[in-house]
Amino acid sequence: MRAYINGQQALTGNDFIELALGTPVELWLGVEGESEMERAARLDAARDILADNPGLPEDAFRLAATAIEERADDLFNVVPLARPVTRARRVRKGAAA
């Protein structure tokens, strides 16, 4: 089964988020090892996007809440694991024969 959002195929969870928000996930979360200059440029771009789209945070929260609500049965289907039974060690006193 293939999933499309606005004519674009979504293959991974990040694809769904990126297509739903219209921006790459890395713009908001950053990437490992980015320099201070790259981080400043990324945050500046994020501020510009938020200034142009003031409803974006609410849309993102609504999208996340909807996804959680639709998948709540799978997400919260937690089964407690059985605890292993521990045995008390027997203590022997005296010399072994």
Side-chain angles (χ1 to χ4, degrees), residues 1-2 4 6 14 19 23 28 31 37 40 42-44 46 49 51 60 72 74 76 79 87 89 92-94:
M1 175 185 240
R2 295 182 182 170
Y4 290 90
N6 293 332
N14 279 351
L19 291 170
T23 61
W28 308 104
V31 292
M37 190 163 50
R42 178 178 58 78
L43 293 176
D44 189 42
I49 290 170
D74 296 331
F76 302 113
V79 178
R87 293 188 213 171
R89 290 186 175 180
R92 291 185 175 181
K93 292 185 179 181

Side-chain angles (χ1 to χ4, degrees), residues 14-53:
N14 279 351
D15 289 346
F16 281 101
I17 295 169
E18 184 174 331
L19 291 170
L21 294 176
T23 61
V25 175
E26 292 81 14
L27 176 69
W28 308 104
L29 301 179
V31 292
E32 189 174 333
E34 71 182 353
S35 69
E36 282 299 316
M37 190 163 50
E38 291 170 328
R39 182 178 188 272
R42 178 178 58 78
L43 293 176
D44 189 42
R47 276 190 285 278
D48 289 344
I49 290 170
L50 288 174
D52 292 342
N53 303 289

